[in-house]
Amino acid sequence: MRSHCCIGVSAALLLLSFASSAQADSRTEHAAPNNIIFMIGDGMGPAYVTAHRYAQAGTPGQPVETTIFDELLVGSARTYPATGSFITDSAASATAMATGVKTRKGVIGMDAQHQPVRSILEQAKLAGKATGIVATSAVTHATPAGFVANAKRRSYQDLIAEQYVHKRIAERSMLDLMLGGGQQFFPRTEGGLADQLRDNGFEQAWDLDGIRSLSRLPAMGLIASDGLPFAINTDQPHRLRVMTDKALELLSTEQNGFFLMIEGSQIDWCGHSNDIRCALGEMEDFAQALKAAKAFVDANPDTLLIATADHDTGGLTLARQGTRGGWQPAIALGTHRTSHYITEALQAEPQRKAQAIWAEHADWALNSAEIARIDELRDQETNELRKAIADIVSARSGTGWTTGGHSAVDVPVMAYGAQAERFAGHLNNTDFAPIIFEMLNAD
């Protein structure tokens, strides 16, 4: 019996040794990626990915197809910050992903003692690669800032913008490309930051058509004063896809490769608002951008694509106590504007009946109790009316929320392309950076 045990242990050790060797061989077989695309769905907890899948089917009983998120899924990641709570924020989580160092909530590109730490974007620049950021928020918002800047507070966006312009790596600009919102942080006045960037050779665009026309690096396209309008409130619901396509087109001309961070910023904002229709619109735009990135990898196999979230927002769940029929995405999808938009429409015309205004923005009618609830709030504080509208859509669609803030649940990890297997399994959010630093031959 003892000898059989020993033989079993020896065989197991031999297999483990063989597996480790094979894994090491596979890493050396495949060269380090020349290009790295790091995509972040801000607030995109696992229920958002599931919601997107079932929304494609529309109603129960219809075929449920695999989505781009399902195709690329390789694991999950924990998100807790350095101190104070298991629940993080975008600043601490972006810093952890970008640098491999846990920090306090609200801190950008620094450790918990407020000492600056190097990011993978900075290392890519040191390695001679082009660098870029794309976001549907201001480009100076917490997540993109975590890859570029160093600040004790995420709210110091003017300081962060100055670093985007003035920070140098090996006597080169830290960034070659920035697309998104945030015009207010880059004044176009004489001597302002936009003017300084132009003097530094940056081609510039100030609307989405202008971004489509950008022709070279370095380039900046800022198309909103702060964050972009929500996807479903515009006639450009795939604006992140447009910016992703342009970023990849411009960066692909760089022989030494590139590092590109892309954020679907407003999934988080919809989650804070507990607005399921808003969230589905942002998820669809992020899915389209992810498809564009995957297509780029297919055409350029020396590229690594990573997609994940910084944290979950809202504690979304696809069920609601007391709702018959389970989760019904068709009801949510039958609402064509966000709760913010419908609130503004209702308050802009206080004399019109709520049902008439609602009919302009949704395919389904309000019942008498819902009309009474809206009428009671129409002349009161705006956010109370907005919350009521979001809750009506959630109740009708069977959507549940546990918070208006973030939650501590793990987030999905997707990877594809060169050495994507290294991100499989369960990770800490500090695990991304060491692997990428190694790929970039960091000290």
Side-chain angles (χ1 to χ4, degrees):
M1 188 74 177
R2 184 175 296 166
S3 74
H4 285 302
C5 173
C6 292
I7 291 170
V9 170
S10 298
L13 288 171
L14 184 62
L15 284 170
L16 279 171
S17 174
F18 177 78
S20 298
S21 173
Q23 187 178 37
D25 288 346
S26 73
R27 290 181 186 177
T28 53
E29 269 176 25
H30 304 294
N34 192 42
N35 311 308
I36 299 172
I37 306 168
F38 201 122
M39 300 185 68
I40 298 172
D42 197 311
M44 188 184 71
Y48 288 84
V49 174
T50 308
H52 174 75
R53 182 192 311 123
Y54 292 143
Q56 305 309 296
T59 56
Q62 296 298 312
V64 178
E65 305 293 344
T66 297
T67 69
I68 186 67
F69 300 102
D70 302 326
E71 288 177 30
L72 305 184
L73 185 70
V74 297
S76 61
R78 66 195 88 164
T79 63
Y80 65 92
T83 60
S85 173
F86 292 123
I87 299 175
T88 194
D89 80 328
S90 294
S93 189
T95 298
M97 289 186 285
T99 71
V101 176
K102 294 278 188 186
T103 193
R104 302 173 187 271
K105 288 192 283 187
V107 176
I108 296 290
M110 294 179 167
D111 64 19
Q113 288 72 46
H114 295 147
Q115 296 302 306
V117 281
R118 183 185 298 180
S119 75
I120 49 181
L121 185 146
E122 185 175 352
Q123 184 61 41
K125 178 60 69 173
L126 284 168
K129 296 184 182 298
T131 58
I133 53 173
V134 175
T136 52
S137 66
V139 293
T140 50
H141 210 255
T143 301
F147 285 77
V148 184
N150 312 104
K152 291 182 180 180
R153 296 286 183 272
R154 58 183 288 177
S155 59
Y156 296 168
Q157 292 192 72
D158 290 311
L159 169 66
I160 290 165
E162 287 181 10
Q163 291 186 30
Y164 284 15
V165 176
H166 298 137
K167 195 171 180 179
R168 292 286 184 269
I169 301 295
E171 299 184 358
R172 298 171 61 200
S173 175
M174 180 79 158
L175 284 169
D176 300 290
L177 176 70
M178 51 182 121
L179 303 178
Q183 292 176 358
Q184 64 177 301
F185 304 110
F186 296 85
R188 283 184 269 178
T189 54
E190 185 176 354
L193 291 183
D195 200 33
Q196 293 177 42
L197 284 169
R198 185 177 292 106
D199 289 344
N200 290 338
F202 274 71
E203 186 178 8
Q204 297 182 358
W206 303 100
D207 56 37
L208 200 58
D209 286 338
I211 282 180
R212 289 188 176 98
S213 300
L214 290 172
S215 60
R216 59 168 177 79
L217 295 176
M220 175 181 72
L222 302 183
I223 59 178
S225 176
D226 195 356
L228 278 61
F230 288 114
I232 64 169
N233 288 347
T234 73
D235 59 359
Q236 298 282 354
H238 296 155
R239 72 273 201 248
L240 184 62
R241 170 68 187 258
V242 171
M243 293 191 294
T244 297
D245 283 337
K246 177 53 67 172
L248 293 171
E249 174 194 325
L250 294 175
L251 289 165
S252 65
T253 62
E254 296 295 310
Q255 290 188 346
N256 290 334
F258 63 81
F259 177 91
L260 173 64
M261 194 290 302
I262 301 169
E263 184 195 28
S265 317
Q266 298 184 29
I267 301 166
D268 172 71
W269 299 359
C270 301
H272 281 298
S273 297
N274 288 179
D275 188 330
I276 184 58
R277 181 62 186 96
C278 178
L280 291 174
E282 298 302 320
M283 284 296 295
E284 174 61 21
D285 192 17
F286 192 67
Q288 292 299 322
L290 189 55
K291 288 178 181 178
K294 179 181 180 292
F296 184 88
V297 177
D298 287 334
N300 301 271
D302 61 346
T303 304
L304 168 66
L305 167 62
I306 304 162
T308 188
D310 50 355
H311 53 71
D312 169 73
T313 302
L316 171 64
T317 184
L318 308 186
R320 187 181 176 104
Q321 187 71 29
T323 301
R324 295 180 180 178
W327 193 60
Q328 298 285 343
I331 297 293
L333 293 170
T335 314
H336 303 303
R337 301 293 187 188
T338 67
S339 56
H340 294 84
Y341 191 101
I342 296 173
T343 296
E344 290 179 4
L346 286 163
Q347 292 189 324
E349 299 183 86
Q351 305 308 315
R352 284 187 69 197
K353 290 186 180 297
Q355 188 71 274
I357 295 173
W358 186 269
E360 295 172 357
H361 306 300
D363 297 336
W364 48 278
L366 299 166
N367 61 36
S368 58
E370 292 163 344
I371 292 171
R373 186 179 178 189
I374 287 173
D375 285 342
E376 182 183 356
L377 295 170
R378 282 180 82 172
D379 61 352
Q380 297 181 27
E381 202 270 320
T382 298
N383 196 46
E384 291 305 309
L385 176 58
R386 189 213 58 75
K387 287 194 290 187
I389 291 167
D391 188 60
I392 287 168
V393 179
S394 289
R396 284 291 198 102
S397 60
T399 303
W401 304 89
T402 65
T403 178
H406 301 165
S407 86
V409 300
D410 295 343
V411 295
V413 175
M414 284 72 72
Y416 186 69
Q419 298 196 14
E421 69 280 357
R422 300 185 66 180
F423 299 90
H426 181 69
L427 306 175
N428 201 324
N429 61 2
T430 51
D431 291 334
F432 296 102
I435 297 171
I436 295 173
F437 276 131
E438 184 184 323
M439 292 173 175
L440 295 169
N441 297 315
D443 245 341

